[in-house]
Amino acid sequence: MTSHADPVYHCTMITFRQARPEDCEAIAGHVLQLARHIGVSFTPKVTADELRRHGFGENPLLFLWVAQSEEAIMGSAVANLMYSTWRGEPGIYIIDLFVDPQSRGLRIGEKLLRDLARQAWAKGARYIRLDVDNNNHGAARFYERAGFHAHLDDRYFALDEPAMKSFISDS
């Protein structure tokens, strides 16, 4: 979603940048670690190939952003653009934000989120939306410290693949 001229941000031996296709294995691994961390009862289906397919090419659906030390990718963020008719403007939806446990406390998550927000702002986004799992109290505190506030008047609904298939086939 960004060109080669886009900025790269540095912070004490950590580089914050748009992901490259070869980073997708690490990002997919972070999604699996996040699921284990919050204790979901299923395994996320994302693969590195799916991230490459949806994050790169002519019309990518995803923003993929990483924090990288000289040795490894320490954190990643996955997001996409969205639009709110109520706000009358585009925004960004943070799908996943993950920092390796041994790298926490270095403000990497905040810097990843901030740099991703800068990129989204450059693309026209004027708000950020995200969901936090009910059991992920640490993430809720993190977002509250960053200035986010909970919208308790909204509820999350989903129509998963089998139900969606049934829904679209009914007349």
Side-chain angles (χ1 to χ4, degrees), residues 1-7 17-19 55 60 63-65 119-120 123:
M1 301 200 69
T2 60
S3 70
H4 294 290
D6 287 325
R17 62 170 174 78
Q18 180 185 11
F63 282 95
L64 301 172
W65 207 255
Q119 291 299 308
K123 301 282 185 198

Side-chain angles (χ1 to χ4, degrees), residues 90-160:
I92 187 168
Y93 178 74
I94 306 298
I95 301 166
D96 293 304
L97 177 68
F98 182 81
V99 175
D100 287 326
Q102 65 273 18
S103 301
R104 293 183 185 156
L106 302 174
R107 299 182 64 206
I108 292 170
E110 177 188 337
K111 291 173 179 153
L112 264 171
L113 188 59
R114 193 176 308 281
D115 289 343
L116 184 57
R118 285 184 186 112
Q119 291 299 308
W121 184 270
K123 301 282 185 198
R126 295 300 177 256
Y127 68 95
I128 300 173
R129 183 173 179 150
L130 52 85
D131 297 324
V132 175
D133 186 272
N134 286 330
N135 296 322
N136 198 347
H137 305 292
R141 286 189 303 272
F142 165 79
Y143 290 118
E144 287 169 352
R145 281 192 310 269
F148 288 75
H149 58 279
H151 280 253
L152 301 177
D153 53 340
D154 290 341
R155 286 194 295 173
Y156 170 77
F157 288 86
L159 197 57
D160 294 323

Side-chain angles (χ1 to χ4, degrees), residues 43-62:
T43 301
K45 295 180 181 180
V46 71
T47 65
D49 287 339
E50 285 295 313
L51 290 171
R52 277 189 284 274
R53 184 164 74 101
H54 296 296
F56 299 93
E58 193 172 315
N59 293 307
L61 297 174
L62 300 173

Side-chain angles (χ1 to χ4, degrees), residues 27-45:
I27 297 169
H30 285 167
V31 173
L32 295 174
Q33 288 180 63
L34 178 60
R36 282 193 298 270
H37 172 72
I38 61 176
V40 296
S41 61
F42 62 91
T43 301
K45 295 180 181 180

